[in-house]
Amino acid sequence: MGLFERYLSVWVGLAILVGIVAGNFFPNEFALIATLEFAHVNLVIAVLIWLMIFPMMVQIDFSSIKDVGKKPKGLALTLVINWLIKPFTMALLGWLFFKVLFADWLDPETATEYIAGMILLGVAPCTAMVFIWSQMTKGDANYTLVQVSVNDIIMIFAFAPIAGLLLGVTDITVPWDTLLFSVLLYVVVPLVLGTLTRRALDSADNHTKLNNFLSTMKPWSMIGLLATVVLLFAFQSQTIIAKPEAILLIAIPLLIQTYGIFAIAYFAAKKMQLPHNVAAPACMIATSNFFELAVAVAISLFGLHSGAALATVVGVLVEVPVMLSLVWFVNRTRHWFTTKGSQA
């Protein structure tokens, strides 16, 4: 594990502080960056997110899907949690907290936007960071690759309909053209280009060129992640300083959702007698979110300074330390699981 992965929470924490400070000292400069849009997509954020996720997309080997039947129980667990449980519990928690429990502290429009941000997080299962979580828990690398590949294929077809359904349920007008364009821009296109790049680099099937490319791109991917965090918190810095309680209000249901979903997935994995190296990545991808996509779509749909964008940004703030705590827990409870399993 490299220096970046080992101290991930430290780097993200520093990026958050830099963003908040810079946003307050240089508001005009960040306001100018915020105006660089095309078709409701901020061009700078789009470039950084592409820089972050493209190397991850190149890692995905769709030929591995032929092995999908080798560990069906783990994959089934991931798919059920990601697509039949997590989006709906996220929407329910958002409604419960922002329309009921916190209703007296928020105006209706802000509450609705917070719910929208939570929904976008809940509908986007983790793609990029799950490779790191799997590595940190000594997960089965091949299984992780299969589950990410399958989830990405499903995301192409399921993200927009489920997001649209849940946003509609919470009485939010869904701009379908922007939503579908975001899926095309941040999921379909990078997946296709990642697949073509992988095929071109690995034509000899010895992984030498591919591994060299990924090694070269890794620092740029890290730069993309940290620069994105800096920009997002810079854009929201004045809101964060003026209304720090908003961060707490959003963080509470997100924490409950994250730990709750993990508890459901981990309990189910133990009952299903999955081996630990399958249970770990299965639960990690079920718990974490593709926050890069959620942030990008929230900005496209509602704007950089919207409550929805703030909610997805808080998702970044919450996810990294929470997932690292779950990595610690998963590693400490390795003895709860078997080490091998032929039908996991």
Side-chain angles (χ1 to χ4, degrees), residues 76 188 203 209 243 341:
V188 178
S203 57
K209 291 183 179 179
K243 299 179 180 179

Side-chain angles (χ1 to χ4, degrees), residues 267-307:
F267 176 79
K270 191 174 187 307
K271 287 296 182 182
M272 294 168 69
Q273 298 182 333
L274 298 181
H276 188 269
N277 66 345
V278 171
C283 294
M284 289 299 172
I285 195 172
T287 303
S288 56
N289 304 304
F290 189 0
F291 60 79
E292 301 93 336
L293 174 63
V295 166
V297 175
I299 291 172
S300 300
L301 293 179
F302 302 100
L304 275 167
H305 302 288
S306 64

Side-chain angles (χ1 to χ4, degrees), residues 109-183:
E109 182 179 355
T110 299
T112 300
E113 289 190 353
Y114 287 171
I115 296 171
M118 286 188 61
I119 287 172
L120 292 174
L121 282 169
V123 184
C126 188
T127 291
M129 295 298 291
V130 73
F131 290 108
I132 294 175
W133 308 137
S134 179
Q135 182 185 21
M136 294 175 76
T137 55
K138 298 181 180 179
D140 183 322
N142 291 329
Y143 169 74
T144 303
L145 192 60
V146 170
Q147 68 173 5
V148 169
S149 302
V150 173
N151 267 288
D152 278 359
I153 291 175
I154 294 174
M155 197 184 324
I156 292 173
F157 303 100
F159 179 87
I162 296 178
L165 170 66
L166 294 176
L167 291 173
V169 166
T170 54
D171 300 323
I172 299 170
T173 301
V174 181
W176 281 100
D177 54 343
T178 304
L179 182 58
L180 293 172
F181 177 69
S182 297
V183 174

